Amino acid sequence: MAIIHVDGQDYEVNGAQNLLQACLSLGLDIPYFCWHPAMGSVGACRQCAVRQYKDEDDDKGSLVMSCMAPAADQTRISIEDEEAKAFRASVVEWLMINHPHDCPVCEEGGHCHLQDMTVMTGHDRRRYRFRKRTRRNQELGPFIAHEMNRCITCYRCVRFYNDYAGGTDLGAFGAKDNVYFGRYAEGTLESPFAGNLTEVCPTGVFTDKSHSEQYTRKWDLQFAPSVCHQCSMGCNISPGERYGSIRRIENRYHGEVNGYFLCDRGRFGYGYVNRSDRPLLPEWRQQPDEEPTTLEVDTALARITDTLRHSQRVIGIGSPRASLESNHQLRELVGADNFSTGIEAREQACLALMDDLQRTTGLHTPTPRQIENHDAILVLGEDPVQSAGRLGLNMRQAALSRREAMGEKIGIPAWNAEALKTLGQDVYHPLHIAWPTATELDDVATRYPLAPEEIARLGFAVAHIIDPAAPVVDNLDPATRDTAQRIADDLMAAERPLVVSGGSLVSDSVLQAAGNIAQALARRARQGGLVLIRREANSTGLSLMGGQTLDWAMDELTEGRADAVVVLENDLYQRLPAQRVDQALARADIRVVLDHQRTATLARASFTLPAASFAEGDGTLVNLEGRAQRFFQVYEPGYLRPEARIHESWRWLHALAAGLRREDATDVNLDEITAACAEAHPALTGMVEAAPGAGYRIEGLRLAREPHRYSGRTAMRANLSVSEPRPPQDEDTPFAFSMEGYSGFDHPRQQVAFAWAPGWNSPQAWNKFTDEVGGHLSGGDPGIRLIHRQPGHRDYSLRIPAAATAENTLRALVLPSLFGGDETSARAEPIQQRMATPVVILCHIDAEALDVHHGDTLVLGDSPAMTVHEQDDWPTGWAGLPAGLLPGLAQGEALTLSKTTGGEP
């Protein structure tokens, strides 16, 4: 810690920070542009000038850039110095010489950092009277719109895109006052993190194109704290709604999970919420192939409960994309013995194994932020960017942090970004990835293109080298032995080694190998970590809750041991072969499906109940760390669409359970359902503490969902009636569907719906809600960990797969895909535009056997035509296929591929 003196006041600050960060952390306002808490300082914009004095006797001092000056002990500065203020005002003026001053039509208006800083400096007159420089904008794909005329040359975009996220197709072109930020040629930005440019850019150069089509100012959006449902990372998001549709998603700061950034699937994959074909009313079909008849709520509940009551046995199929509360209510409806998690058997076994490994290997599971402090990483059988988007960004920072370690030795502070970049060049902490094809991290990693069994054998070999007590791998070829030795040496030389694996390959052997490595490191007293990636938003939560597999449910129905089924937010055709699902559903007399999308499963339903999406309901998810987090309802769908009967699945299921007991459906709230879930499942006991309950207040006020400038409330339903009804009343959460409530930052709180503070309208307002800039929320980061490391060590696994042998069979290797690889975001139009052309990856030997060459096309059953991509180092006997292309295709399934001729197989 250090003592600094600011305008005559003494403050205790973190001496490792620069003066800008230290002052902002104190709540003192200094304008800035090029600096960013996650990316450090380069001193490019000259906006953050303050006067610094040598000592208490110095009354002249000199102007310094606070982002480039350390917060050393006894530093004396003045922010209010008149010359410093005049200099800052002049900087804004010259930065805006070529700016079009088009705030009324700019999509950044209302949450623009440039606006905030202009007001903060007092610059309010435009004196420049000459012709302004103009630019030609570029087409950058479905996510990002481009308006170069607004650029102030802060370099944030390329620093994030290239230096932080590892992108290669965005650059700065030109020199002096003629610098252009864009691609070398028009085209889609390739980085899976490109969407962060919309928040990183302090002006309106890069804006959210998906928002442009239904644009709304920030102050006219209604928000709620939410959690991304597109993978198992659990990133915190702020969805904004207007007129009953989600207009955009912004990053919600979480000091341990996502920090300032999201992946593009999480940011742009919300379109399924706004689809016009969603079920809005309960429906009834007498036959699967007939048009449904809509029902009112009471009629639907009465018919469903009557039919279920006369059933011999009801099976409940849950879902890892539904909340814990909804899954628990389904379990209560059908009984624990009749509840299935809705997860395929092999995947569920892997989930259970991952939970066990996190508890028993002796290594803790670091938070995503803590991952960035690990100095050697082994990734076993995962492509982190494709399977858990944001996690890949954390791992990239871990590799790049070698620069900070080098800088520390010669006195370069961690915030001096450009100096560290020059020092580090292409030197990284060791990052080893065992994965058969290219990854987004290959530029900072060493990759080993192996088949699943060989990945497992490599892992077991690494464990044995670290600890000879671990089992020996027989018949290990020299190349793999050398690779294992190199990886083991790096892990043992590190202070904080990290092992990353997961369920993408659905391989028990790969997970056991990762567990052996973690255990071997723990026995050598290493302060390492173990991260295990799950497939879906609530996969971890379902595995902690427990239940039978989806295969079991299909067998019960197919064999006639049950004649009714209730399916919760799950498209069974995405998980198992269509023929098997068809046979099972055909044997069920009653098929009740709750979902917010029209899926193939919903099309087979006898009764359909319209479920709430994440934007319309509340619930709890558990991420890959084991962190339970609450998501909150953004808007009430029935307020603007009175014809809709959308409710949370747990509310529908509670009503059905009451009906089966011949009781009236009483009111129930989220707190009651959450408490009941926690009480019923010991592993979920802590979920109640994931967020404050409905009674939480600040100074007697609920928390506001709307910014205080929210406008047009009295006209929101003018198309329905000129009489304004009472706003919806939320009995489930501490939030109000109103601007009337607490939205400040002076009272620390975890659940912040949107970032705003006086003078800070842009995403940089998150600085006001943290204990220190770039730190943690001042009220604590949301969520609570449910999976904890247990003392002692487990026995080493002996389940080492045999060495691969030549086979004539070609097997499916389903590769996770960020765009199109999950069930819901694949329904969003911007994501659909980013889906790659279907490709099947083959090695040369297998391509020759099929008599195909690079660029030819193949089909698999009824699949779309797939372009052949021959990869030199691809493992023999496997065909790489993108996830989502062939629903129900199992990992390792034998394939019969057919060559197409003239467009026909």
Side-chain angles (χ1 to χ4, degrees):
M1 303 302 288
I3 301 296
I4 65 172
H5 311 275
V6 183
D7 290 314
Q9 299 293 317
D10 299 343
Y11 300 97
E12 186 177 38
V13 300
N14 183 348
Q17 297 177 346
N18 58 44
L19 284 173
L20 175 60
Q21 186 171 5
C23 289
L24 291 173
S25 296
L26 292 169
L28 305 173
D29 290 344
I30 300 178
Y32 63 91
F33 287 118
C34 66
W35 179 79
H36 189 282
M39 296 186 289
S41 307
V42 293
C45 71
R46 325 306 291 170
Q47 182 61 76
C48 61
V50 297
R51 183 171 292 279
Q52 183 172 359
Y53 303 94
K54 294 179 181 179
D55 52 43
E56 57 186 338
D57 297 324
D58 181 7
D59 60 357
K60 293 185 177 180
S62 59
L63 292 183
V64 300
M65 301 306 116
S66 57
C67 75
M68 296 301 293
D73 193 42
Q74 300 306 314
T75 296
R76 296 176 181 275
I77 64 170
S78 172
I79 300 172
E80 298 301 322
D81 175 76
E82 290 302 320
E83 186 179 358
K85 290 168 67 176
F87 182 84
R88 295 196 295 264
S90 70
V91 169
V92 165
E93 187 172 28
W94 86 53
L95 288 177
M96 294 184 68
I97 279 178
N98 288 296
H99 191 280
H101 295 78
D102 60 343
C103 299
V105 298
C106 176
E107 294 186 14
E108 198 76 359
H111 65 156
C112 175
H113 187 62
L114 176 59
Q115 285 180 332
D116 292 346
M117 298 300 98
T118 303
V119 172
M120 190 178 294
T121 58
H123 173 62
D124 59 0
R125 291 292 183 274
R126 180 172 54 182
R127 297 188 295 167
Y128 185 76
R129 293 293 181 265
F130 304 98
R131 179 178 239 175
K132 289 178 178 282
R133 177 196 64 211
T134 57
R135 301 290 198 184
R136 182 175 182 271
N137 303 320
Q138 290 184 320
E139 169 59 42
L140 298 178
F143 296 160
I144 306 296
H146 190 227
E147 176 51 78
M148 256 306 294
N149 291 325
R150 298 172 183 148
C151 182
I152 59 170
T153 323
C154 71
Y155 287 89
R156 266 198 192 181
C157 57
V158 291
R159 289 181 59 219
F160 168 77
Y161 196 90
N162 300 335
D163 300 343
Y164 193 92
T168 57
D169 61 319
L170 181 73
F173 304 93
K176 199 180 175 183
D177 63 345
N178 187 31
V179 181
Y180 188 94
F181 296 91
R183 298 184 86 247
Y184 63 92
E186 285 193 347
T188 300
L189 287 170
E190 297 170 0
S191 171
F193 306 104
N196 292 293
L197 294 175
T198 64
E199 294 185 36
V200 166
C201 177
T203 74
V205 176
F206 299 100
T207 54
D208 183 339
K209 186 181 285 189
S210 70
H211 184 208
S212 303
E213 298 172 1
Q214 43 183 5
Y215 182 72
T216 305
R217 296 290 184 195
K218 178 177 180 176
W219 61 72
D220 282 336
L221 291 172
Q222 180 169 257
F223 300 91
S226 194
V227 178
C228 180
H229 280 53
Q230 312 308 334
C231 77
S232 63
M233 271 293 289
C235 294
N236 285 207
I237 57 174
S238 287
E241 171 267 348
R242 184 75 168 179
Y243 292 113
S245 66
I246 296 297
R247 298 300 173 93
R248 73 179 301 172
I249 283 180
E250 291 185 289
N251 183 72
R252 180 164 66 99
Y253 186 83
H254 191 297
E256 288 293 357
V257 179
N258 49 289
Y260 291 96
F261 306 121
L262 299 172
C263 77
D264 285 356
R265 181 162 79 182
R267 187 180 294 274
F268 300 109
Y270 63 86
Y272 64 92
V273 176
N274 300 335
R275 287 179 66 99
S276 60
D277 61 350
R278 285 185 56 187
L280 301 178
L281 294 164
E283 296 174 351
W284 171 63
R285 291 182 185 85
Q286 192 166 6
Q287 299 296 331
D289 56 351
E290 69 179 19
E291 286 297 312
T293 301
T294 58
L295 303 173
E296 273 304 321
V297 170
D298 290 342
T299 303
L301 292 175
R303 289 192 183 183
I304 294 171
T305 53
D306 183 63
T307 54
L308 292 180
R309 192 180 298 116
H310 290 87
S311 300
Q312 295 179 0
R313 185 182 176 209
V314 184
I315 295 293
I317 299 178
S319 171
R321 63 174 167 91
S323 68
L324 289 176
E325 289 84 355
S326 293
N327 278 285
H328 168 71
Q329 283 302 112
L330 176 59
R331 187 175 181 270
E332 291 295 292
L333 174 71
V334 302
D337 293 339
N338 298 319
F339 174 72
S340 162
T341 61
I343 302 172
E344 183 265 334
R346 288 198 305 164
E347 182 182 353
Q348 183 155 318
C350 288
L351 291 172
L353 177 57
M354 285 188 267
D355 293 344
D356 181 64
L357 292 175
Q358 278 186 243
R359 295 189 184 101
T360 62
T361 58
L363 294 187
H364 79 294
T365 296
T367 66
R369 181 188 184 126
Q370 291 169 344
I371 288 172
E372 298 181 4
N373 296 323
H374 285 264
D375 52 355
I377 301 177
L378 169 60
V379 182
L380 210 62
E382 279 290 347
D383 181 348
V385 173
Q386 299 299 325
S387 57
R390 181 63 178 80
L391 187 69
L393 206 53
N394 297 115
M395 293 173 61
R396 177 176 290 277
Q397 305 323 303
L400 294 176
S401 67
R402 175 76 177 273
R403 301 170 178 177
E404 296 179 14
M406 295 170 66
E408 185 178 4
K409 293 179 180 179
I410 59 175
I412 299 178
W415 47 261
N416 196 335
E418 196 63 26
L420 291 178
K421 178 182 174 183
T422 302
L423 176 67
Q425 297 294 324
D426 295 325
V427 179
Y428 313 108
H429 280 312
L431 173 54
H432 301 278
I433 301 177
W435 185 251
T437 193
T439 78
E440 292 283 342
L441 297 173
D442 283 2
D443 59 315
V444 295
T446 303
R447 184 174 56 83
Y448 310 100
L450 302 172
E453 294 92 341
E454 297 306 315
I455 291 174
R457 287 172 60 81
L458 173 64
F460 281 112
V462 170
H464 176 71
I465 294 171
I466 296 173
D467 181 7
V472 178
V473 181
D474 296 327
N475 303 318
L476 198 65
D477 63 272
T480 303
R481 185 180 298 109
D482 292 343
T483 297
Q485 185 68 56
R486 185 164 55 251
I487 294 171
D489 289 345
D490 283 341
L491 294 177
M492 289 189 289
E495 294 182 10
R496 296 173 302 278
L498 177 68
V499 181
V500 178
S501 190
S504 289
L505 296 178
V506 199
S507 170
D508 173 272
S509 298
V510 169
L511 290 171
Q512 294 284 9
N516 275 18
I517 299 170
Q519 185 173 336
L521 290 170
R523 290 190 176 187
R524 295 180 68 98
R526 298 286 170 181
Q527 298 300 310
L530 174 66
V531 173
L532 298 170
I533 300 171
R534 280 75 163 182
R535 177 180 163 194
E536 294 176 81
N538 212 9
S539 293
T540 309
L542 261 290
S543 65
L544 294 175
M545 178 179 288
Q548 301 288 345
T549 67
L550 178 58
D551 303 69
W552 168 87
M554 295 293 96
D555 290 341
E556 295 297 292
L557 292 168
T558 302
E559 299 300 325
R561 292 189 287 270
D563 58 348
V565 62
V566 180
V567 181
L568 168 67
E569 299 179 36
N570 199 338
D571 186 4
L572 310 183
Y573 290 90
Q574 296 288 329
R575 302 182 185 276
L576 291 174
Q579 183 179 5
R580 187 174 185 190
V581 178
D582 284 340
Q583 290 175 348
L585 295 181
R587 293 296 304 273
D589 297 329
I590 304 300
R591 299 170 296 278
V592 181
V593 177
L594 299 87
D595 211 332
H596 47 76
Q597 301 298 310
R598 292 198 178 276
T599 66
T601 301
L602 187 138
R604 299 292 307 277
S606 308
F607 293 96
T608 298
L609 294 175
S613 69
F614 75 91
E616 301 141 343
D618 312 293
T620 307
L621 304 176
V622 183
N623 76 345
L624 54 77
E625 301 170 72
R627 182 189 299 266
Q629 299 185 100
R630 194 77 33 82
F631 62 92
F632 295 94
Q633 185 179 23
V634 183
Y635 64 97
E636 172 54 56
Y639 183 69
L640 292 168
R641 295 176 182 165
E643 74 279 5
R645 299 294 183 267
I646 295 174
H647 299 290
E648 295 100 332
S649 292
W650 53 261
R651 209 179 290 276
W652 282 119
L653 292 165
H654 172 78
L656 289 177
L660 285 178
R661 296 191 300 268
R662 300 183 185 277
E663 300 173 358
D664 292 334
T666 57
D667 289 338
V668 64
N669 61 41
L670 178 67
D671 287 349
E672 294 171 359
I673 296 295
T674 302
C677 182
E679 183 178 356
H681 309 284
L684 302 175
T685 300
M687 65 178 286
V688 175
E689 306 300 324
Y696 178 78
R697 300 289 186 273
I698 294 179
E699 294 186 342
L701 297 174
R702 284 181 173 270
L703 307 180
R705 278 185 170 93
E706 301 166 359
H708 73 285
R709 293 179 294 175
Y710 191 88
S711 64
R713 184 178 68 180
T714 57
M716 294 294 285
R717 288 167 43 100
N719 62 318
L720 303 174
S721 172
V722 296
S723 300
E724 182 191 3
R726 183 187 187 193
Q729 303 301 296
D730 189 352
E731 302 301 326
D732 294 312
T733 79
F735 289 89
F737 290 104
S738 171
M739 70 183 87
E740 298 160 359
Y742 185 79
S743 60
F745 64 89
D746 48 344
H747 291 276
R749 56 193 170 107
Q750 286 187 341
Q751 302 298 336
V752 183
F754 55 90
W756 175 88
W760 295 82
N761 299 281
S762 78
Q764 299 300 303
W766 285 112
N767 296 344
K768 294 294 185 180
F769 292 86
T770 52
D771 53 7
E772 64 176 21
V773 177
H776 303 272
L777 291 180
S778 53
D781 294 319
I784 186 168
R785 294 284 285 264
L786 302 181
I787 300 178
H788 303 282
R789 179 177 49 176
Q790 298 173 351
H793 296 287
R794 68 200 302 269
D795 293 333
Y796 282 118
S797 172
L798 304 176
R799 300 172 62 179
I800 303 174
T805 57
E807 297 181 6
N808 294 325
T809 304
L810 191 63
R811 292 185 286 168
L813 206 166
V814 182
L815 303 170
S817 178
L818 190 68
F819 301 126
D822 77 306
E823 184 182 340
T824 51
S825 73
R827 295 171 174 266
E829 185 175 345
I831 297 294
Q832 291 173 348
Q833 294 180 51
R834 280 289 274 122
M835 292 181 191
T837 302
V839 168
V840 54
I841 305 176
L842 298 170
C843 70
H844 296 308
I845 295 174
D846 292 328
E848 287 181 1
L850 292 170
D851 190 25
V852 294
H853 303 282
H854 190 88
D856 289 346
T857 55
L858 292 171
V859 294
L860 173 61
D862 296 328
S863 77
M866 300 174 288
T867 303
V868 173
H869 175 81
E870 290 188 68
Q871 180 177 313
D872 292 337
D873 54 6
W874 181 262
T876 306
W878 294 86
L881 301 166
L885 177 67
L886 297 166
L889 180 66
Q891 195 72 269
E893 182 178 329
L895 301 176
T896 302
L897 294 168
S898 304
K899 183 178 179 180
T900 61
T901 304
E904 297 294 334

